[in-house]
Amino acid sequence: MVLYAQANHPQATAVSNKGSTDIHNAATLIPRPEHPISRVNISPNAMKVLYRLKESGYQAHMVGGGVRDLLLGREPKDFDIATDAHPEDVRRLFRNCRLIGRRFRLAHVVFGREVIEVATFRAVHEAGADSAAQQTDQEGRLVRDNVYGDIEGDAFRRDFTVNALYYNVADFSIVDYTGGMADIDAGLLRLIGDPDTRYREDPVRMLRVVRFATKLGFRIEANTEEPIVRLAPLLGDIPPARLFDEMLKLFMGGSALDNFEMLRHYNLFGQLFPMTEQSLAYEGNCFQALVTRGMKNTDTRIAEGKPVTPAFLFALFLWQPVRERAAQLEAQGQHPVQALQHASSQIISEQALVMSTPKRFSLPMREIWMLQLRLEDMGGRRSRRMLSHPRFRAAYDFLLLRAEAGEVPVATGEWWTKFQEDNPQDGVQKTTPARPRKRRRRRSKAKPEVKSE
Ligand code: ATP
Ligand code: MG
């Protein structure tokens, strides 16, 4: 049965493919002339995937951030596709396709550096209806979500209304089941369904709401906001690798400072960095100033297109906890260098219980810390050698932040600035020349990936 009704958009129609009285049964259709999304703004690779699915007889929609960002006149980070084709069907259609994920099985269609994510419509999880393909744990967390369904169910199991808009390649209309268009217009982030249940199903949604609020400049709707502080501790059950991925999105996306402040406001930051939160709560040090400046710096660098590394961020967040631990060890008689080394190891492993930190980040982070001791002790022949240390630049930037925050004398930073000016070639000379890397063949077996849902 198809129902037609007038909606907010002048020529919009409400359609239903079900004859039930289910509240989910009507979608608003916004035809092409009534919305601004144009094919020229969609990645050609995403269009290729959409067309091939459609020509093979499947439904094919762009969904999520791609639709949301284009409606807001922003450039999408990536293009996600939803279809009724099963992952194995998608693999048959695309040679350049790999299937990933166990908890949430997906197809990735790979075009060089661009990956188009193709997800099969999922059914809504009904309370108490666990099966082998769809399971929740005792806390209500959805630990497996592989029951396929139709577009309508798929819309309602998404997180926010503004993320549940579908761009249909069959007629270029937008399909809206959850009132996402109105929320886009109002600048509102609203969880679909009962917020308590939805956060329990996946506590990472609490981090996502903050990330989208700062990125889009949207307000958080009252019912969506209410449970956050109360349910924040549920993030303790999220695997450390997934929290690391979310941390990167929060702090390496250009809005680190805003995210930091909002996460703290909602009691979420301490779930990610418990030791940092403890140190921040203590007013009698320069740590808050240091972290704030570090965030600002990171955002500025990203805005200027300069490289940033999570190692620097981690070094910043964990600096005060490391210093406090080192001071304790020194008080027990350890030499300052040894104390800092031991403290670094301890803090890194304690943080890893909450959030995993790959070695390629934890090693440079440790070096940034250790170099602080040497930078504070300037002068002599060792100073010249310092300039060629591969981590000198990061450690020097870190030192400058500490000086700005009032933790070390400004003169120490200035000394190193001048020293580099006086010894210009040292830094350049000794950096390792770019050597062509041998290409190693990748094993084709896809590693199970942590997907953001
Ligand atoms: P961006 O890519 O700009 O960070 P996005 O909205 O596209 O934002 P993704 O993480 O790429 O976010 O996810 C794509 C879509 O998948 C989302 O828009 C949302 O519809 C759905 N989704 C992602 N994570 C979750 C989740 N944890 N719970 C429910 N739905 C989710
Ligand atoms: Mg996306």
Side-chain angles (χ1 to χ4, degrees):
M1 184 173 85
V2 179
L3 301 171
Y4 293 93
Q6 206 62 31
N8 316 353
H9 293 263
Q11 289 177 29
T13 49
V15 298
S16 164
N17 49 13
K18 272 194 188 170
S20 75
T21 52
D22 190 326
I23 51 154
H24 297 171
N25 68 357
T28 303
L29 276 199
I30 299 108
R32 175 62 191 96
E34 295 300 315
H35 69 73
I37 296 186
S38 154
R39 269 163 285 170
V40 297
N41 299 120
I42 302 173
S43 125
N45 292 324
M47 286 310 298
K48 250 185 243 170
V49 176
L50 286 166
Y51 280 134
R52 179 144 345 145
L53 284 166
K54 182 184 103 135
E55 280 150 18
S56 310
Y58 296 108
Q59 294 178 47
H61 298 79
M62 176 172 76
V63 65
V67 182
R68 178 197 68 216
D69 291 350
L70 288 177
L71 285 172
L72 291 168
R74 306 171 63 100
E75 192 185 334
K77 203 177 77 199
D78 45 35
F79 295 90
D80 297 318
I81 289 174
T83 177
D84 57 351
H86 287 194
E88 294 71 24
D89 303 327
V90 181
R91 183 159 58 184
R92 265 195 299 278
L93 288 180
F94 299 94
R95 215 169 26 88
N96 47 336
C97 174
R98 55 171 197 240
L99 302 187
I100 63 150
R102 268 194 310 162
R103 202 172 72 82
F104 192 91
R105 198 151 174 74
L106 284 172
H108 274 178
V109 187
V110 183
F111 299 89
R113 292 177 60 130
E114 189 178 18
V115 176
I116 306 293
E117 199 165 276
V118 183
T120 308
F121 294 144
R122 294 299 198 275
V124 173
H125 179 260
E126 304 292 348
D130 276 9
S131 66
Q134 203 174 40
Q135 283 168 22
T136 50
D137 66 8
Q138 284 162 328
E139 311 291 335
R141 191 160 72 88
L142 203 49
V143 288
R144 192 167 281 245
D145 188 7
N146 285 321
V147 170
Y148 302 133
D150 57 13
I151 182 171
E152 184 184 315
D154 194 74
F156 283 92
R157 62 98 205 164
R158 287 182 183 271
D159 48 6
F160 306 104
T161 59
V162 297
N163 284 350
L165 293 165
Y166 295 76
Y167 172 83
N168 186 355
V169 79
D171 60 3
F172 311 116
S173 64
I174 290 176
V175 190
D176 178 6
Y177 282 94
T178 64
M181 278 307 251
D183 286 339
I184 289 258
D185 290 341
L188 264 190
L189 281 168
R190 186 195 308 272
L191 263 180
I192 298 167
D194 170 51
D196 233 87
T197 314
R198 299 308 310 282
Y199 287 135
R200 285 180 192 281
E201 259 175 27
D202 183 5
V204 167
R205 290 173 185 151
M206 293 185 271
L207 301 177
R208 288 174 62 86
V209 77
V210 169
R211 180 157 67 85
F212 293 128
T214 58
K215 168 172 160 162
L216 308 172
F218 275 26
R219 280 175 304 123
I220 305 175
E221 179 267 337
N223 293 319
T224 299
E225 180 181 35
E226 184 278 320
I228 301 181
V229 170
R230 184 164 41 87
L231 298 182
L234 292 178
L235 283 167
D237 297 331
I238 301 300
R242 188 165 177 223
L243 282 192
F244 178 74
D245 287 350
E246 289 303 320
M247 191 285 293
L248 291 186
K249 292 184 200 166
L250 284 159
F251 295 107
M252 309 292 285
S255 308
L257 185 57
D258 289 348
N259 282 330
F260 171 70
E261 284 170 352
M262 200 181 271
L263 287 171
R264 286 202 80 206
H265 175 78
Y266 288 118
N267 189 26
L268 293 165
F269 184 76
Q271 312 301 324
L272 301 178
F273 292 96
M275 292 180 285
T276 312
E277 181 60 44
Q278 232 177 3
S279 298
L280 286 168
Y282 176 66
E283 300 277 325
N285 57 38
C286 318
F287 188 46
Q288 177 119 27
L290 179 77
V291 171
T292 308
R293 277 165 196 277
M295 302 283 97
K296 241 191 243 162
N297 227 25
T298 307
D299 290 341
T300 313
R301 288 183 68 94
I302 291 173
E304 291 170 351
K306 292 186 185 158
V308 286
T309 162
F312 194 86
L313 268 180
F314 265 89
L316 203 66
F317 283 150
L318 297 175
W319 176 236
Q320 187 65 18
V322 160
R323 289 180 71 210
E324 285 166 14
R325 187 67 58 86
Q328 282 167 15
L329 296 175
E330 263 189 72
Q332 291 164 17
Q334 289 193 14
H335 181 273
V337 174
Q338 199 186 28
L340 187 59
Q341 248 156 8
H342 288 158
S344 304
S345 305
Q346 291 175 10
I347 297 294
I348 289 172
S349 33
E350 286 167 33
Q351 175 65 24
L353 297 175
V354 182
M355 182 188 292
S356 47
T357 324
K359 276 238 164 45
R360 66 179 187 284
F361 301 129
S362 63
L363 290 179
M365 156 166 77
R366 184 193 280 272
E367 284 180 308
I368 292 172
W369 289 338
M370 293 311 299
L371 287 178
Q372 297 308 303
L373 290 182
R374 286 169 59 184
L375 289 173
E376 283 174 52
D377 175 25
M378 53 290 184
R381 282 171 53 207
R382 284 175 55 171
S383 301
R384 286 179 69 85
R385 279 216 305 274
M386 274 293 288
L387 295 185
S388 58
H389 191 289
R391 218 60 67 197
F392 170 74
R393 190 70 214 182
Y396 162 73
D397 285 345
F398 198 83
L399 180 80
L400 290 186
L401 282 177
R402 292 174 62 212
E404 280 177 34
E407 197 194 294
V408 287
V410 173
T412 309
E414 286 172 354
W415 190 91
W416 281 102
T417 308
K418 175 141 190 334
F419 189 68
Q420 287 175 84
E421 285 163 9
D422 295 345
N423 298 274
Q425 67 278 52
D426 289 60
V428 186
Q429 215 178 39
K430 303 244 179 78
T431 46
T432 345
R435 229 184 330 143
R437 284 238 239 129
K438 267 200 191 157
R439 283 191 68 178
R440 264 202 277 155
R441 286 193 58 189
R442 279 258 193 120
R443 302 213 11 214
S444 59
K445 197 169 148 226
K447 207 170 75 182
E449 256 179 54
V450 192
K451 159 73 178 137
S452 61
E453 65 176 322

Short mmCIF file of all heavy atoms in Angstrom, two decimals, residues 64-65 68 77-78 80 157-159 163 202 205 208 211-212 215 242 451-453, ligand 1:
data_model
loop_
_atom_site.label_atom_id
_atom_site.label_comp_id
_atom_site.label_asym_id
_atom_site.label_seq_id
_atom_site.Cartn_x
_atom_site.Cartn_y
_atom_site.Cartn_z
N GLY A 64 23.64 8.55 5.65
CA GLY A 64 24.57 8.97 6.72
C GLY A 64 25.22 10.31 6.44
O GLY A 64 24.60 11.21 5.84
N GLY A 65 26.51 10.39 6.83
CA GLY A 65 27.21 11.67 6.76
C GLY A 65 27.24 12.29 5.37
O GLY A 65 27.23 13.51 5.24
N ARG A 68 23.84 14.03 4.95
CA ARG A 68 23.76 15.10 5.95
C ARG A 68 24.66 16.27 5.57
O ARG A 68 24.23 17.42 5.52
CB ARG A 68 24.19 14.51 7.30
CG ARG A 68 24.21 15.47 8.45
CD ARG A 68 25.04 14.89 9.59
NE ARG A 68 26.45 14.81 9.23
CZ ARG A 68 27.26 13.83 9.60
NH1 ARG A 68 26.85 12.83 10.34
NH2 ARG A 68 28.54 13.85 9.22
N LYS A 77 33.05 13.61 4.52
CA LYS A 77 34.33 12.93 4.77
C LYS A 77 34.39 11.65 3.94
O LYS A 77 35.42 11.27 3.42
CB LYS A 77 34.41 12.60 6.26
CG LYS A 77 35.78 12.41 6.79
CD LYS A 77 35.73 12.17 8.28
CE LYS A 77 35.29 10.74 8.54
NZ LYS A 77 34.78 10.48 9.86
N ASP A 78 33.27 10.97 3.87
CA ASP A 78 33.20 9.74 3.08
C ASP A 78 31.76 9.51 2.65
O ASP A 78 30.85 10.20 3.11
CB ASP A 78 33.73 8.54 3.86
CG ASP A 78 33.19 8.50 5.27
OD1 ASP A 78 32.03 8.90 5.48
OD2 ASP A 78 33.93 8.08 6.18
N ASP A 80 28.81 6.70 2.37
CA ASP A 80 28.36 5.36 2.76
C ASP A 80 27.11 5.01 1.98
O ASP A 80 26.27 5.87 1.69
CB ASP A 80 28.06 5.33 4.27
CG ASP A 80 29.31 5.60 5.08
OD1 ASP A 80 30.37 5.06 4.72
OD2 ASP A 80 29.23 6.38 6.04
N ARG A 157 17.30 2.00 13.06
CA ARG A 157 18.37 1.52 13.92
C ARG A 157 19.63 2.40 13.80
O ARG A 157 20.64 2.17 14.45
CB ARG A 157 18.69 0.05 13.66
CG ARG A 157 19.18 -0.27 12.28
CD ARG A 157 20.66 -0.36 12.25
NE ARG A 157 21.16 -0.09 10.90
CZ ARG A 157 22.42 0.20 10.65
NH1 ARG A 157 23.29 0.31 11.61
NH2 ARG A 157 22.80 0.44 9.42
N ARG A 158 19.55 3.45 13.01
CA ARG A 158 20.67 4.41 12.93
C ARG A 158 20.68 5.29 14.17
O ARG A 158 19.73 5.26 14.95
CB ARG A 158 20.57 5.21 11.64
CG ARG A 158 20.95 4.34 10.48
CD ARG A 158 20.94 4.98 9.14
NE ARG A 158 21.27 3.94 8.17
CZ ARG A 158 22.51 3.65 7.80
NH1 ARG A 158 23.54 4.34 8.23
NH2 ARG A 158 22.73 2.66 6.95
N ASP A 159 21.74 6.07 14.36
CA ASP A 159 21.82 6.81 15.62
C ASP A 159 20.96 8.08 15.66
O ASP A 159 19.99 8.16 16.41
CB ASP A 159 23.28 7.07 16.02
CG ASP A 159 24.15 7.64 14.89
OD1 ASP A 159 23.62 7.94 13.81
OD2 ASP A 159 25.38 7.78 15.10
N ASN A 163 21.28 11.56 10.59
CA ASN A 163 22.15 10.55 9.96
C ASN A 163 21.34 9.46 9.28
O ASN A 163 21.90 8.48 8.80
CB ASN A 163 23.04 9.88 11.02
CG ASN A 163 24.19 10.76 11.45
OD1 ASN A 163 24.42 11.79 10.83
ND2 ASN A 163 24.89 10.38 12.50
N ASP A 202 24.62 1.00 22.45
CA ASP A 202 25.96 1.36 22.00
C ASP A 202 26.40 2.67 22.65
O ASP A 202 26.09 3.77 22.17
CB ASP A 202 25.98 1.51 20.47
CG ASP A 202 27.39 1.82 19.99
OD1 ASP A 202 28.32 1.82 20.82
OD2 ASP A 202 27.56 2.06 18.78
N ARG A 205 27.66 6.02 21.10
CA ARG A 205 26.77 7.09 20.58
C ARG A 205 26.89 8.36 21.41
O ARG A 205 26.64 9.45 20.91
CB ARG A 205 25.32 6.58 20.55
CG ARG A 205 25.12 5.52 19.47
CD ARG A 205 23.77 4.87 19.51
NE ARG A 205 23.74 3.79 18.52
CZ ARG A 205 23.00 2.70 18.61
NH1 ARG A 205 22.21 2.51 19.65
NH2 ARG A 205 23.03 1.79 17.66
N ARG A 208 29.65 10.13 19.90
CA ARG A 208 29.26 10.61 18.57
C ARG A 208 28.40 11.87 18.67
O ARG A 208 28.54 12.79 17.86
CB ARG A 208 28.52 9.51 17.80
CG ARG A 208 29.46 8.37 17.35
CD ARG A 208 28.72 7.21 16.71
NE ARG A 208 27.99 7.55 15.50
CZ ARG A 208 28.52 7.56 14.26
NH1 ARG A 208 29.79 7.27 14.09
NH2 ARG A 208 27.78 7.88 13.22
N ARG A 211 30.71 14.72 19.11
CA ARG A 211 31.48 14.99 17.89
C ARG A 211 30.64 15.71 16.84
O ARG A 211 31.08 16.67 16.22
CB ARG A 211 32.02 13.67 17.32
CG ARG A 211 32.85 13.84 16.06
CD ARG A 211 33.77 12.67 15.87
NE ARG A 211 33.09 11.42 15.59
CZ ARG A 211 32.70 11.05 14.37
NH1 ARG A 211 32.92 11.84 13.34
NH2 ARG A 211 32.11 9.89 14.18
N PHE A 212 29.41 15.27 16.64
CA PHE A 212 28.57 15.91 15.63
C PHE A 212 28.12 17.31 16.09
O PHE A 212 28.01 18.22 15.29
CB PHE A 212 27.36 15.04 15.28
CG PHE A 212 27.73 13.76 14.57
CD1 PHE A 212 27.27 12.53 15.02
CD2 PHE A 212 28.56 13.78 13.45
CE1 PHE A 212 27.63 11.34 14.37
CE2 PHE A 212 28.91 12.62 12.79
CZ PHE A 212 28.45 11.39 13.25
N LYS A 215 31.09 19.51 15.40
CA LYS A 215 31.43 19.58 13.98
C LYS A 215 30.38 20.39 13.20
O LYS A 215 30.71 21.20 12.34
CB LYS A 215 31.52 18.16 13.44
CG LYS A 215 31.58 18.03 11.94
CD LYS A 215 31.87 16.60 11.51
CE LYS A 215 31.46 16.36 10.07
NZ LYS A 215 32.07 15.17 9.48
N ARG A 242 38.37 0.24 19.98
CA ARG A 242 37.31 1.07 19.42
C ARG A 242 37.36 2.48 20.02
O ARG A 242 37.14 3.47 19.33
CB ARG A 242 35.95 0.42 19.68
CG ARG A 242 34.85 1.14 18.95
CD ARG A 242 33.56 0.37 18.86
NE ARG A 242 32.56 1.19 18.20
CZ ARG A 242 31.30 1.29 18.61
NH1 ARG A 242 30.88 0.60 19.65
NH2 ARG A 242 30.46 2.07 17.96
N LYS A 451 34.56 -1.35 13.43
CA LYS A 451 33.72 -0.37 12.72
C LYS A 451 33.14 0.53 13.79
O LYS A 451 33.05 0.15 14.96
CB LYS A 451 32.65 -1.18 11.96
CG LYS A 451 31.39 -0.45 11.57
CD LYS A 451 31.58 0.53 10.45
CE LYS A 451 30.23 1.14 10.11
NZ LYS A 451 30.29 2.55 9.90
N SER A 452 32.77 1.73 13.39
CA SER A 452 32.33 2.69 14.38
C SER A 452 30.91 2.42 14.86
O SER A 452 30.27 3.27 15.42
CB SER A 452 32.44 4.09 13.82
OG SER A 452 31.62 4.17 12.70
N GLU A 453 30.38 1.31 14.58
CA GLU A 453 29.08 1.07 15.19
C GLU A 453 28.99 -0.37 15.64
O GLU A 453 29.84 -1.17 15.35
CB GLU A 453 27.94 1.39 14.23
CG GLU A 453 27.84 0.54 13.02
CD GLU A 453 26.62 0.91 12.21
OE1 GLU A 453 25.58 1.22 12.79
OE2 GLU A 453 26.71 0.88 11.01
P1 ATP B 1 31.37 11.18 9.50
O1 ATP B 1 31.74 10.12 8.48
O2 ATP B 1 31.33 12.55 8.98
O3 ATP B 1 32.12 11.05 10.77
P2 ATP B 1 28.90 9.73 9.55
O4 ATP B 1 27.54 10.12 10.05
O5 ATP B 1 29.00 9.35 8.13
O6 ATP B 1 29.85 10.90 9.93
P3 ATP B 1 29.99 7.15 10.12
O7 ATP B 1 30.71 6.71 11.34
O8 ATP B 1 30.71 7.20 8.83
O9 ATP B 1 29.39 8.57 10.48
O10 ATP B 1 28.71 6.22 10.00
C1 ATP B 1 27.85 6.25 8.86
C2 ATP B 1 26.42 6.14 9.31
O11 ATP B 1 26.21 4.88 9.96
C3 ATP B 1 25.96 7.18 10.31
O12 ATP B 1 25.56 8.37 9.68
C4 ATP B 1 24.81 6.48 10.99
O13 ATP B 1 23.66 6.50 10.18
C5 ATP B 1 25.30 5.04 11.04
N1 ATP B 1 26.02 4.79 12.30
C6 ATP B 1 27.35 4.88 12.50
N2 ATP B 1 27.68 4.57 13.76
C7 ATP B 1 26.52 4.27 14.38
C8 ATP B 1 26.18 3.84 15.69
N3 ATP B 1 27.11 3.69 16.62
N4 ATP B 1 24.86 3.60 15.95
C9 ATP B 1 23.93 3.72 14.99
N5 ATP B 1 24.18 4.13 13.76
C10 ATP B 1 25.44 4.39 13.44
#
